[in-house]
Amino acid sequence: MDSTKKIGNTDDDDGFLLRMGLNDNKAGMQGLDKEKINKIIMEATKGSRFYENELKKDQQVNQRIEKMMQLKDKITSQQLLKAQLQVDKHALDLEQSRDLSCTIVHIDMDAFYASVEMRDNPELKEKPIAVGSMSMLSTSNYHARRFGVRAAMPGFIAKKLCPHLTIVPLNFKKYEEVSKQVREILAEYDPSFMPIGLDEAYLNITEYLEERQNWPEDKRSYSIKRENIAKNGKQDVTATDELKSNEAAHSVSPILFEDNISITEEQLVATSQLCNEEQRDKELLLNSVVFGTSAEEVVKEIRFRIEQKTGLTASAGIAPNMMLAKMCSDQNKPNGQYRISPDRQSVMDFIKDLPIRKVPGIGKVTEKMLKALGILTCTELYQQRALLSLLFSETSWHNFLDVSLGLGSTELEKYGERKSMSIERTFSEINTAEEQYSLCQELCRDLAQDLQKEGLKGKTVTLKLKNVSFEVKTRASTVLAAVSTEEEIFVLAKDMLRTEIDGVAPLPLRLRLMGVRVSGFLNEEEKKYQQRSIINFLKPGKQTDTALLQSGKSSHEHFTKASETTHRESFFDKKRAARQESNQELLINKPANKQNLHDIKSLINPVEETNDTIGSKNLNECQSLTCPVCFEEQRSSNLEALNRHIDKCLNGILEKDNAEISASENSWENSHHFSPDSKKKMSEICQKNKMNKSVDMIESTKVADSFTSISTEAFPKVVANTGKEREHSLLSETASNTYLEQNFSSKITSLENTEQVEKPEYTQETEPSHSSGAIEDNVLVCPVCNTEQKTTDLSLFNRHVDICLNKGIIQELTEQIVCPIKSQDVCNCSLGSMGRGHQYMNPTTGIKRPGLTTPQSTSKKAKQSNSKQTIETFLK
DNA sequence: CGGATCGAC
DNA sequence: CTATGTCGATCCG
C-alpha cells in the first residue's frame, strides 16, 4: 500500500507521509525520526473513512499508471525514434529562444503564519507551534516540523506527533496586514510584481538593476532601526503589547545576521554593537548598512528591509525565469537566498539532479506516474522526452520539456480576470434534506454577497457535495441569463441538490461538505444586455405567496418546517423587497427603442423561477406546454416528452427550405405578445433543451460581427461568413443549436440594424444564413474524410466530423510514424493536471514566450485553423 | 458543457 | 470526536 498522501500544499511542506524522511532531524535533537512519525500517523489514520477514501484514490492513480504502462509497451522503437526527432526539433526551437536576460526574483516568507504568531507572542518562540485548528493546520514553525507537523495536516494528528504542540487559530487580518507591508517594499523594486497568496511574490528586477548600477552609496544604505517595529501588525497597541513587541523586535535583527550568505562584515558596520547596546533603547538607529548593486545584493536588501519592517524573515531565489526562481527560493530556506547565474550551464547544473517533485506544477500524482517510468530527476525527464511525448498530452510533455531544459516564463502576468467564485463549508454530518437545503441557501446567500462585492454575474452554478466517506461530487448547470443574487443562485443549486437527494432516496444524503460556485462571468458587453433583457421577467406584483403554496409533495414537509424558522421568513421578505427594487432599477434603464430585441432575447433567457419553493418538484405539472417551434400546445406535461417533440420539430424544419425558417422567425418575433406565463414556459423549455449555445451565439453575435470586417480582409467575404456558421454548426452539439443560431443570429442582426447609429458594425453583411451543403441535400458527407455518412442525425454527424478532424491532425503530427498512436490513446493517459492557475500559475509555461511556438505545433490554435481550412476547402 | 482531477497556497 | 477553502487548468466523454 502506498500511503503517500498529499492533501494540501503550503509553504515548503511536502505531505505528511511521503516526505517525512526528508525532515531535517539532526541526531540528538528534539523531534521524531521518520519511522516514528509514519507509525504515529498510520495509527491515527488507518481505518478512518478518510483513509479508505485515500486508498481508493490511490488505486485510481495506480490504474492510470497501469494504462500508461500498457500503452508504453505498445510503442515500437520505430515510433520512439520518430518521436525523438519531433521532440528534439521542438527542443531545438526552445533552446534557440532561451532567454537569460531577465533577473527574476521569488520571495517567500518563512513559515509565514507561524512566524507572524511567534513575532506577536514571544511566549511561542521556543515552542513548537502550528497555525490552524484541530481539524486542519495551515502551517507550522520549524520547531514543530521536526516532529513531523506539517501544513495540511489535521491538528489532532499533529498533537499525537507532538503533544506539546501549541495550535494557534488563524488571524487572517493580521497576515494580510503584514503581507501588505511586505508588498510595499517589493513594489519599490518592481511596481508590477506578482503576488502569490499572502506570503509569496515574483519580481522582475531587470530594469531596476540597470538603474541601480550608478546609484551612489547613500541611495543603497539603510539604517538599522530597532524601534517602530512594534507598530507593525498591531492595531490596538496596549502598553504591554508594545513592550512585548519591542522585545520581539530586538531579537529579530540577529536572526538576519545569522544568515550564512547574507550580510557581509563590511556591509554591516557594527553587528555586535547591536546586541551590546540594547539598553540604549529608543534611539533611532545604531548603524547603517549599505548594499551593493548586484542582484544578490538587491535581494539581500529586500530581505533586510522586510525583516526590519515586519520582523519576519523571507527566503528568496534569483534566476533568469520564474520557474527557476521559485525553486531557488526553496534551496536555502529558511531565511536564505540562492541565485542561478544567467548562463545556460549554470541553469543546467541546477536542474540536473533536481527531483521532479520540486518542480512547480508537478504534484503527487504526476510524480508517481513519472516515477513509474523511472523518472525521478529532471535529467531523466529530459532523457525520456520522446517517450513522454507519446504517453502524455501535448501540453503535458511540452511542459516537461520546458522543465527539463530549465525554461520558464519571464513575464509576470498581470492579474487576470476572475473566472469563478465559490464558497464551501465542511461540517459534521448533515443528513436531513431540510438542513441541507437551508445550508445550501446559506451558501448561496454568502456567495451572492461576495459576487456583489465585485459586481459579478455568472451563467454557471456548480454544486459541490462531499459525503461522509469523502467522496466528492459536483453538479453544474448553466443558464442563459447570468445570476448573481441569492435567490437566483439558490434556484439552480437547490434544483441540483434535489436531484442528488432524489438520486439516493430513500436513503439520506450524508454530507460533510457542501459548496456552491458561480462561473461563466459576463464580460462588460454581455452585462448590459442581460441586465436589460431580464426586465420582462420581473413583473411587478407577482405574489410569492401563491408560489409558496405550489411546493411539491415530497419536500413540502421540509419546506414548511423550514419556513417556520425566522430565517426562512426573512428570506422571502427579502426576496419580495429585492424584486421590487430590481424592478424599479431595471425599468429605469430600459430603452424603449429596443423593445423587440429585448423581448426576443427575453424569450431565450431562462425564467426567474417565481415559485422557487424549496424542493418543489415538477413545476411544470400544472402548466400546459407549448412547443416553441411549431407552437402547438402539447398534451404531455412531461418535459422530456416535450423535448423530444421539439427535437423532432427542429429537425423537420432543418431539412426544409429557408422560407420555412423565416416563417418560424415570425413566430418567434410575435411571441413576445404572449403572456408572461407562456414566455416563462418557453424559456424554460429553451433552458431544458440545452439551447444555451444559441444564446451564447446571440450574445456573441455582436462581438463576432464586429470582427467580421477584420476577418474579411483575410478571407473572401462569403467564405468568412459561411465558414463561420459552418464551424459553429460543427462545434455545436445539436441540430437545434444550428438552426437556432442561424435563425436567431439573422434575426438579431436585422434588429441590430435598427441601431446603426450606436453600433454601425452590425450593419455589415451577415445575410440571412443559408444552410450548409451537407444539410441541403439531406445526405451527409463528411467534409474531412469525404465519405457519406449513414446517419441523418446532425449531432452524430457533427461528432463524426469532429473525430475526423482530430484524426487528421494527429495523423499530420505523426505522419512519419509507422504506426500512429491514436489520439484517444494519447489522451487516455494524459495528465489531467498540468494545472496552471492564473493566480498560482505554473511559472514554467502558461505564458507566451514570443517565438517559441513552432509552426507545426498542434496547439488548439493549430487545430482550429486546420479545421477552418478543411471546411473552407470543402465549401468550395 | 459537465464532471472529475490535479496542483497551488 | 477531529482530514480545509478557493481558485484555475486540463482532460474526457
Side-chain angles (χ1 to χ4, degrees):
Chain A
M1 164 232 74
D2 185 316
S3 37
T4 63
K5 318 298 177 230
K6 181 173 173 67
I7 301 174
N9 180 355
T10 306
D11 209 350
D12 46 358
D13 167 67
D14 252 325
F16 66 89
L17 280 184
L18 172 58
R19 298 273 181 151
M20 282 322 163
L22 299 185
N23 275 351
D24 182 23
N25 187 19
K26 307 235 166 71
M29 286 188 67
Q30 211 179 352
L32 300 173
D33 64 35
K34 165 185 160 186
E35 298 215 353
K36 261 203 159 144
I37 290 169
N38 281 343
K39 200 179 149 208
I40 294 172
I41 294 176
M42 265 310 286
E43 274 168 18
T45 298
K46 96 185 151 199
S48 65
R49 291 180 197 271
F50 173 80
Y51 181 64
E52 294 304 315
N53 189 255
E54 288 298 298
L55 285 184
K56 211 178 89 187
K57 287 197 291 188
D58 222 62
Q59 297 226 334
Q60 284 173 7
V61 173
N62 286 337
Q63 280 180 11
R64 254 170 95 183
I65 290 176
E66 221 173 281
K67 269 194 180 176
M68 179 181 70
M69 298 307 274
Q70 282 171 14
L71 200 65
K72 183 194 163 206
D73 289 341
K74 286 187 197 157
I75 295 173
T76 67
S77 52
Q78 276 272 10
Q79 287 175 308
L80 207 59
L81 223 63
K82 290 298 175 188
Q84 188 81 50
L85 290 176
Q86 295 259 341
V87 174
D88 282 353
K89 189 173 185 314
H90 182 68
L92 198 68
D93 287 341
L94 291 178
E95 189 60 63
Q96 273 169 6
S97 51
R98 184 190 287 273
D99 181 5
L100 296 165
S101 65
C102 284
T103 307
I104 307 293
V105 176
H106 181 249
I107 302 280
D108 189 342
M109 300 296 292
D110 300 321
F112 187 49
Y113 300 168
S115 299
V116 173
E117 298 302 337
M118 283 162 69
R119 179 196 72 177
D120 294 346
N121 185 357
E123 284 176 28
L124 301 175
K125 262 221 158 112
E126 300 305 318
K127 295 190 200 165
I129 75 161
V131 182
S133 73
M134 216 41 166
S135 43
M136 187 52 63
L137 301 180
S138 287
T139 189
S140 57
N141 67 0
Y142 281 83
H143 196 353
R145 287 182 200 187
R146 287 202 285 268
F147 292 86
V149 175
R150 296 308 187 94
M153 173 183 283
F156 70 93
I157 288 179
K159 275 280 193 187
K160 288 182 181 167
L161 287 169
C162 177
H164 298 310
L165 182 73
T166 306
I167 297 181
V168 187
L170 285 155
N171 274 308
F172 262 110
K173 279 212 178 123
K174 213 157 69 174
Y175 313 141
E176 271 162 15
E177 254 179 59
V178 180
S179 182
K180 194 181 145 212
Q181 293 179 324
V182 173
R183 289 176 188 186
E184 280 166 10
I185 296 174
L186 300 184
E188 292 183 34
Y189 299 83
D190 177 6
S192 51
F193 75 99
M194 179 176 153
I196 304 289
L198 290 178
D199 71 330
E200 274 184 42
Y202 288 97
L203 287 76
N204 184 341
I205 60 165
T206 316
E207 274 182 40
Y208 172 88
L209 266 176
E210 255 175 62
E211 266 184 48
R212 179 164 166 131
Q213 291 314 307
N214 349 321
W215 281 12
E217 269 200 14
D218 66 315
K219 241 182 143 178
R220 310 189 312 258
S221 24
Y222 288 85
S223 52
I224 302 169
K225 297 182 183 179
R226 293 201 292 156
E227 79 158 6
N228 76 21
I229 291 177
K231 292 174 196 153
N232 299 328
K234 289 280 174 188
Q235 287 155 310
D236 44 343
V237 187
T238 67
T240 53
D241 273 348
E242 175 124 23
L243 191 63
K244 270 189 200 167
S245 292
N246 267 330
E247 282 168 12
H250 281 262
S251 52
V252 154
S253 289
I255 294 180
L256 177 66
F257 305 142
E258 282 169 14
D259 187 346
N260 43 357
I261 61 164
S262 195
I263 296 174
T264 60
E265 285 190 22
E266 308 99 69
Q267 291 163 349
L268 186 65
V269 186
T271 317
S272 54
Q273 288 175 22
L274 182 71
C275 299
N276 296 339
E277 299 175 18
E278 276 197 342
Q279 52 282 65
R280 263 239 294 183
D281 57 24
K282 311 250 162 118
E283 239 76 63
L284 187 58
L285 71 112
L286 293 178
N287 296 296
S288 70
V289 52
V290 44
F291 295 90
T293 55
S294 68
E296 274 106 332
E297 289 292 308
V298 170
V299 172
K300 278 180 201 171
E301 181 182 297
I302 293 175
R303 294 201 298 127
F304 170 79
R305 292 181 64 193
I306 289 176
E307 196 213 348
Q308 289 280 299
K309 190 171 183 180
T310 69
L312 304 171
T313 63
S315 299
I318 312 163
N321 66 53
M322 290 166 75
M323 177 195 70
L324 293 173
K326 163 103 180 147
M327 298 192 297
C328 284
S329 68
D330 205 48
Q331 197 77 6
N332 281 320
K333 173 179 287 200
N335 197 18
Q337 64 184 63
Y338 185 84
R339 175 177 191 213
I340 299 177
S341 312
D343 61 90
R344 187 179 185 279
Q345 196 51 52
S346 302
V347 170
M348 296 316 276
D349 286 347
F350 181 83
I351 285 290
K352 199 165 158 270
D353 296 321
L354 203 73
I356 50 169
R357 186 52 206 278
K358 293 274 184 194
V359 175
I362 296 187
K364 188 190 66 171
V365 174
T366 312
E367 181 193 30
K368 197 170 174 182
M369 302 235 285
L370 292 175
K371 199 183 262 177
L373 297 170
I375 298 170
L376 297 171
T377 68
C378 289
T379 312
E380 288 155 352
L381 196 63
Y382 180 72
Q383 288 165 348
Q384 300 293 342
R385 60 196 181 283
L387 178 62
L388 293 173
S389 78
L390 294 174
L391 293 179
F392 289 85
S393 74
E394 185 182 284
T395 26
S396 292
W397 73 258
H398 275 190
N399 183 40
F400 293 152
L401 196 58
D402 282 343
V403 167
S404 59
L405 290 171
L407 298 169
S409 165
T410 56
E411 244 163 85
L412 282 56
E413 274 196 353
K414 292 311 244 175
Y415 83 104
E417 295 214 324
R418 175 193 280 286
K419 301 270 175 54
S420 74
M421 189 180 272
S422 66
I423 183 171
E424 68 188 57
R425 253 171 237 159
T426 297
F427 35 77
S428 54
E429 175 170 349
I430 291 183
N431 49 33
T432 69
E434 156 193 10
E435 280 179 295
Q436 287 160 358
Y437 282 121
S438 99
L439 182 76
C440 179
Q441 184 173 20
E442 203 180 306
L443 291 169
C444 292
R445 173 167 47 241
D446 292 353
L447 181 58
Q449 262 183 13
D450 292 347
L451 283 169
Q452 199 187 3
K453 271 181 211 152
E454 301 193 25
L456 293 170
K457 283 166 159 266
K459 285 181 291 217
T460 302
V461 173
T462 308
L463 179 74
K464 175 176 173 182
L465 302 174
K466 177 149 68 178
N467 65 16
V468 288
S469 302
F470 291 87
E471 293 162 334
V472 179
K473 236 188 229 176
T474 60
R475 293 288 175 262
S477 90
T478 84
V479 290
L480 307 174
V483 296
S484 64
T485 66
E486 170 191 348
E487 294 85 353
E488 291 164 343
I489 301 169
F490 184 53
V491 165
L492 297 169
K494 174 205 67 186
D495 226 56
M496 293 184 278
L497 178 56
R498 175 163 45 76
T499 59
E500 288 312 306
I501 291 176
D502 291 352
V504 295
L507 295 173
L509 264 188
R510 305 183 59 195
L511 300 180
R512 85 180 325 271
L513 172 145
M514 191 185 294
V516 180
R517 172 194 303 229
V518 171
S519 55
F521 295 133
L522 304 175
N523 56 39
E524 290 305 316
E525 194 86 5
E526 289 170 320
K527 261 184 201 167
K528 293 177 197 162
Y529 271 94
Q530 295 250 348
Q531 217 179 16
R532 289 183 238 151
S533 61
I534 210 165
I535 300 165
N536 301 286
F537 297 106
L538 300 171
K539 292 290 174 193
K542 194 109 187 171
Q543 335 77 314
T544 36
D545 294 3
T546 56
L548 293 186
L549 298 175
Q550 293 182 359
S551 66
K553 328 153 198 174
S554 73
S555 13
H556 182 70
E557 220 181 340
H558 299 141
F559 167 69
T560 46
K561 267 187 200 165
S563 66
E564 281 160 19
T565 72
T566 57
H567 172 66
R568 280 286 166 243
E569 305 210 44
S570 74
F571 158 58
F572 284 107
D573 286 341
K574 253 170 55 186
K575 183 187 163 80
R576 203 175 290 118
R579 174 163 311 204
Q580 276 161 15
E581 216 181 299
S582 54
N583 278 341
Q584 285 167 7
E585 247 183 76
L586 292 165
L587 286 169
I588 292 168
N589 288 339
K590 185 173 179 177
N593 65 334
K594 295 184 182 174
Q595 183 75 43
N596 280 353
L597 175 59
H598 296 146
D599 282 345
I600 292 228
K601 289 175 70 64
S602 304
L603 278 173
I604 318 158
N605 279 325
V607 205
E608 260 243 320
E609 207 176 317
T610 45
N611 53 342
D612 59 348
T613 52
I614 295 166
S616 78
K617 277 184 177 176
N618 298 335
L619 312 155
N620 336 294
E621 254 173 7
C622 42
Q623 302 162 350
S624 68
L625 299 169
T626 306
C627 169
V629 180
C630 68
F631 280 90
E632 273 172 30
E633 210 166 276
Q634 300 300 301
R635 305 236 159 79
S636 168
S637 60
N638 178 345
L639 252 192
E640 284 192 26
L642 176 74
N643 282 336
R644 275 195 296 276
H645 164 86
I646 293 171
D647 274 346
K648 268 192 205 165
C649 256
L650 286 168
N651 277 327
I653 286 172
L654 261 178
E655 284 159 17
K656 293 176 189 172
D657 208 3
N658 289 341
E660 291 270 347
I661 292 179
S662 48
S664 61
E665 240 175 42
N666 286 332
S667 306
W668 278 96
E669 193 177 22
N670 292 332
S671 59
H672 66 267
H673 297 308
F674 283 15
S675 70
D677 265 342
S678 24
K679 279 189 200 173
K680 178 184 151 182
K681 262 178 279 169
M682 287 186 285
S683 304
E684 235 165 43
I685 290 158
C686 285
Q687 189 185 335
K688 297 281 180 190
N689 220 5
K690 307 254 182 203
M691 289 165 22
N692 313 11
K693 278 219 168 171
S694 53
V695 161
D696 282 344
M697 178 67 184
I698 289 165
E699 302 296 341
S700 59
T701 300
K702 291 169 63 102
V703 185
D705 282 351
S706 65
F707 287 148
T708 316
S709 53
I710 302 168
S711 59
T712 42
E713 285 170 22
F715 304 104
K717 196 169 182 176
V718 180
V719 175
N721 221 355
T722 53
K724 188 182 71 184
E725 279 161 13
R726 182 67 197 127
E727 193 175 333
H728 270 294
S729 64
L730 279 175
L731 297 174
S732 301
E733 294 278 295
T734 63
S736 21
N737 280 350
T738 312
Y739 161 67
L740 286 163
E741 278 162 18
Q742 293 171 351
N743 189 5
F744 280 134
S745 55
S746 52
K747 186 71 229 163
I748 294 296
T749 306
S750 66
L751 284 169
E752 298 281 12
N753 284 342
T754 65
E755 299 180 292
Q756 287 186 18
V757 185
E758 255 185 62
K759 314 204 182 284
E761 64 266 39
Y762 304 139
T763 65
Q764 297 187 5
E765 58 199 309
T766 322
E767 291 292 312
S769 43
H770 29 283
S771 44
S772 57
I775 297 172
E776 264 171 13
D777 306 340
N778 220 353
V779 175
L780 299 173
V781 179
C782 171
V784 181
C785 66
N786 245 327
T787 60
E788 214 175 295
Q789 296 302 300
K790 304 244 160 70
T791 180
T792 54
D793 182 340
L794 256 191
S795 74
L796 277 180
F797 172 71
N798 280 336
R799 198 169 281 270
H800 163 85
V801 176
D802 242 291
I803 292 169
C804 249
L805 280 170
N806 278 330
K807 267 189 199 159
I809 290 156
I810 296 288
Q811 183 77 40
E812 201 175 297
L813 168 68
T814 56
E815 54 186 4
Q816 303 297 341
I817 296 179
V818 181
C819 173
I821 308 243
K822 283 181 200 159
S823 71
Q824 244 186 340
D825 293 339
V826 173
C827 292
N828 273 345
C829 105
S830 61
L831 287 179
S833 70
M834 304 314 299
R836 217 171 288 126
H838 190 69
Q839 247 180 315
Y840 309 115
M841 176 187 47
N842 179 346
T844 311
T845 60
I847 287 184
K848 335 90 195 177
R849 289 184 306 270
L852 278 198
T853 42
T854 62
Q856 67 276 64
S857 96
T858 51
S859 65
K860 275 177 195 163
K861 234 187 213 167
K863 274 188 195 175
Q864 272 170 13
S865 66
N866 191 330
S867 47
K868 217 181 213 166
Q869 274 185 3
T870 322
I871 292 160
E872 276 168 29
T873 42
F874 165 70
L875 287 173
K876 282 177 193 168

